[in-house]
Amino acid sequence: METQFVSIIIPVYNDSQRLQQCLTRLDNQSYPKHLYEVIVVDNNSTEDLTSIVSQFSQAKYAFEPISGSYSARNTGIKLAKGDILGFTDSDCSPESNWIETGVTQILKHPNCGFVAGKIQFSFQDSKNPTPAELYDSLIFLQQEKYVKEAHFGATANLFTTPKIFTQVGLFNATLKSGGDREWGERVYAADYEQIYAADVIISHPARADFEALNKK
């Protein structure tokens, strides 16, 4: 494991406050600091993200003017130096061993197409979630179901390798949503193993109201 360099790719449009929280978590990982980088791909934000990214030793700033998170992820892939690639989003909070467990899972499965980790939901009030938050947490981002039944993993918590992108292609940059599913189906069609890993954990905020759910 100690020979594997990892590139973490985060597409972001504005969302500077949560990006800072995410980068803080990624700056304090159990994985050796000299063995990973974090590529933040600014998808033409109106907020200043460079000043945030510059605060973190592991983070690098990149820019993608074409709208869409999959365009931004593809830019990150092209810039990445890693033997292993990890994906998350600016509104996610990775566990402190997230990179370490992701790498371990990849290395355990020689024919691995990707590892999709567990996505936990956080609520504004942990003791009193709203109906929308409960609905969101029960319906969306169900990684184990996605992997086992639909053959993809959400890019909020995903590890793979450059080899897989070479074999099946990059994300479809014309899609505004569902690009992780379309790419996962290509990985499945190429006969690579798809792994759900309950120990590779990030936390994602549940949407607090039905207006936000409807927008999704």
Side-chain angles (χ1 to χ4, degrees), residues 2-22:
E2 292 185 357
T3 64
Q4 303 298 308
F5 191 81
V6 182
S7 297
I8 304 300
I9 298 166
I10 305 174
V12 59
Y13 175 72
N14 294 327
D15 204 25
S16 55
Q17 183 175 351
R18 292 190 297 189
L19 174 64
Q20 183 153 13
Q21 294 170 355
C22 181

Side-chain angles (χ1 to χ4, degrees), residues 144-153 181 184-185 188 194:
E144 186 172 15
K145 182 176 181 179
Y146 289 170
V147 173
K148 294 181 178 179
E149 298 181 15
H151 311 302
F152 79 99
R181 180 168 191 154
E185 289 171 348
Y188 181 74
Q194 301 182 326

Side-chain angles (χ1 to χ4, degrees), residues 95-110:
E95 293 290 298
S96 61
N97 66 348
W98 179 65
I99 295 176
E100 182 181 351
T101 52
V103 171
T104 299
Q105 288 288 349
I106 284 273
L107 296 181
K108 279 169 60 176
H109 301 90

